[in-house]
Amino acid sequence: REWNGSFNFETYRILEEISQEMNNLVAEHPGLGRKVNIGYPFENRLMNVLKFSTGGDKLAIWLGAGIHAWEWVTQLSSPWTASKIASDYGNDPSITLILDIMDVFLLPVTNPDGYVLSQTKTHMYRKTRSKLSGSLCVGVDPKWNWDTGFGGPGANNNSCSNSYHRPSANSEVEVKSLEDFTKSHGEVKAIITLHSYSQLFLFPWVYACAESHNFDELEIKNEVAQENAQSLSSLHGTTYKMGPVCLLMYQGSGGSIDWFNDSGIKYSFVFALRDTGLYGFLLLANQTLPTAKGTWLGLKTIMEHIQDHPY
Amino acid sequence: QETFVGQILEIIPRNEEQIKNLVELEPKEHLQLNFWKSPTIPGETAHVRVPFVSIQAVKVFLESQGIVYFIMMESVQVLLDKKNEEMLLYQR
């Protein structure tokens, strides 16, 4: 029943179901979508990314979801987003134009080990599953494990903490795989990492507050953010706070958003998706589709901006 | 599956000192707190999961410090059960 585009996006899904839907999508759009394996996390599951391409290797936009296991709505938004990209190609002029000149990569579940654990053992699980000798606690927060300003202020060195960064940068295969892919591809122009909770649209920097950085660059990010804000509120009136992480939230070290930015990817953003303000990580299933649809308008606006302002 | 008998509190620190007090709560292992949204800026909400065994102690602490809080989720487990039921229903 689910084969012919009847996948129900409005319910929470286990990893296998998301994976199967990715297969279905590729089968339904053989000229546009294909699966690319970029690595194997600690428990040897697959890190499969969907590549939407009209041919060849073009400049690329990367969308990554599910780095934090307990943010289930993020993992659920990605299959809908994938389906939307595929079905809009050839029908929506804007998406058609974007895909004619750029490739779009979408990683639906960046932390598959953690996602499985959060659905089988403990819902409140966020980290990877790698083991650290000498510690009773397992896993690392993949958000703080990147090779940029690593180990500086704000990062957590308590291995039992939810935001533990581990002693060395990119020790986590989930992180290393993304770093390696980005470097080897060489033409990734935008990275948007999707989280849930709090309704935020964040841009660099985390490790240092914006005053010390290039003002022009910040202006460009602000411009994208303002366009994005209008799109995001157009469907449900959802309001997002926007700004550099350091100013809006806290200072941290080894953050993914900074690594991408420092690697020369000018459009490096983090989306914290919609919630109702009442449910947090426990956002109920009937809210997943409205969340995905609202987010899509923002994502589309950002992709259009990137296409209009190449570098 | 692990059960989560407890509540989610929404806490609104008024100033830097209250933020510091909240941050210092996190590593206290006996309280088993789990910050969903950390205290960062005065006036911004923080969300913390408090297990049943620590609820009284945490609320007394917050009130003694004059830190404003609300109960954001009365029972985490009720919501988790609802979510699991929905998943099972669709899987069937």
Side-chain angles (χ1 to χ4, degrees):
Chain A
R1 272 182 303 155
E2 293 187 345
W3 178 258
N4 294 318
S6 61
F7 184 85
N8 185 342
F9 293 102
E10 208 160 14
T11 180
Y12 284 101
R13 297 286 185 172
I14 58 173
L15 184 67
E16 287 73 18
E17 291 175 303
I18 293 176
S19 186
Q20 185 56 49
E21 176 57 9
M22 296 301 113
N23 291 339
N24 295 346
L25 195 77
V26 169
E28 285 168 18
H29 302 274
L32 184 67
R34 69 184 175 91
K35 260 190 343 186
V36 180
N37 176 258
I38 62 159
Y40 301 86
F42 191 77
E43 292 175 345
N44 262 332
R45 294 184 175 86
L46 292 166
M47 284 176 74
N48 279 337
V49 60
L50 282 170
K51 179 182 180 184
F52 296 99
S53 176
T54 52
D57 287 319
K58 306 189 189 80
L59 305 180
I61 296 173
W62 177 279
L63 309 175
I67 199 168
H68 285 151
W70 60 11
E71 296 168 9
W72 286 14
V73 71
T74 317
Q75 284 85 321
L76 254 291
S77 289
S78 53
W80 186 86
T81 305
S83 163
K84 185 71 178 158
I85 293 169
S87 61
D88 275 8
Y89 181 71
N91 294 312
D92 179 313
S94 167
I95 294 301
T96 306
L97 185 59
I98 289 167
L99 284 169
D100 280 342
I101 59 172
M102 299 185 90
D103 294 337
V104 176
F105 289 87
L106 190 150
L107 180 58
V109 188
T110 307
N111 175 9
D113 291 350
Y115 189 55
V116 168
L117 191 89
S118 76
Q119 294 194 328
T120 52
K121 293 251 167 53
T122 171
H123 193 297
M124 306 300 167
Y125 194 81
R126 161 185 169 115
K127 299 192 284 186
T128 63
R129 294 297 294 156
S130 64
K131 293 193 172 87
L132 180 72
S133 64
S135 172
L136 287 175
C137 295
V138 167
V140 170
D141 183 349
K143 193 170 77 169
W144 300 121
N145 187 241
W146 298 70
D147 192 11
T148 181
F150 182 83
N156 202 316
N157 61 6
N158 174 355
S159 62
C160 294
S161 161
N162 266 327
S163 52
Y164 175 52
H165 59 65
R166 211 175 176 107
S168 60
N170 55 46
S171 60
E172 302 311 286
V173 67
E174 294 85 347
V175 171
K176 183 78 167 52
S177 299
L178 293 187
E179 288 192 6
D180 288 348
F181 177 87
T182 311
K183 283 179 195 161
S184 66
H185 187 284
E187 294 292 347
V188 177
K189 296 294 177 184
I191 298 252
I192 304 165
T193 310
L194 302 171
H195 288 255
S196 45
Y197 217 91
S198 306
Q199 293 168 202
L200 298 166
F201 183 71
L202 303 165
F203 39 91
W205 291 260
V206 189
Y207 64 68
C209 291
E211 288 86 346
S212 62
H213 283 83
N214 184 312
F215 185 73
D216 290 341
E217 206 177 317
L218 198 60
E219 277 294 284
I220 293 165
K221 294 177 199 313
N222 263 318
E223 193 181 316
V224 179
Q226 294 312 317
E227 289 175 15
N228 181 30
Q230 288 176 8
S231 299
L232 283 168
S233 63
S234 63
L235 190 62
H236 305 295
T238 315
T239 54
Y240 279 67
K241 283 188 180 169
M242 315 216 168
V245 189
C246 188
L247 292 181
L248 213 57
M249 296 173 77
Y250 42 61
Q251 188 175 15
S253 310
S256 54
I257 192 170
D258 286 346
W259 187 85
F260 290 123
N261 191 76
D262 293 350
S263 303
I265 299 172
K266 194 156 69 178
Y267 299 113
S268 170
F269 299 110
V270 166
F271 240 128
L273 307 185
R274 171 181 183 269
D275 67 49
T276 60
L278 294 173
Y279 293 108
F281 298 126
L282 305 184
L283 191 66
L284 296 176
N286 64 6
Q287 291 294 308
T288 57
L289 202 47
T291 300
K293 286 180 175 176
T295 309
W296 169 248
L297 296 177
L299 287 175
K300 192 175 153 189
T301 300
I302 298 168
M303 291 196 284
E304 287 166 352
H305 183 100
I306 294 163
Q307 175 221 305
D308 291 342
H309 302 82
Y311 67 96
Chain B
Q1 275 196 319
E2 193 178 330
T3 54
F4 291 93
V5 181
Q7 295 180 337
I8 309 294
L9 300 184
E10 180 169 87
I11 303 171
I12 310 173
R14 252 199 331 261
N15 51 42
E16 293 292 347
E17 194 189 339
Q18 290 190 346
I19 289 175
K20 187 167 163 273
N21 288 339
L22 289 170
V23 169
E24 284 172 0
L25 275 185
E26 189 174 14
K28 294 189 189 306
E29 284 181 22
H30 67 284
L31 293 175
Q32 301 168 54
L33 301 184
N34 184 290
F35 276 87
W36 284 11
K37 189 180 170 202
S38 298
T40 52
I41 299 170
E44 271 293 320
T45 57
H47 297 159
V48 60
R49 179 171 63 82
V50 187
F52 178 72
V53 290
S54 309
I55 283 176
Q56 199 179 4
V58 170
K59 287 181 179 173
V60 166
F61 172 80
L62 294 174
E63 284 161 20
S64 71
Q65 302 288 314
I67 301 174
V68 176
Y69 74 92
F70 303 95
I71 297 170
M72 183 169 127
M73 289 181 202
E74 190 70 48
S75 169
V76 178
Q77 194 57 44
V78 166
L79 282 169
L80 284 172
D81 291 344
K82 201 168 168 184
K83 207 166 179 177
N84 285 335
E85 276 171 29
E86 282 176 342
M87 279 184 80
L88 286 171
L89 184 72
Y90 279 107
Q91 279 170 24
R92 275 203 296 273

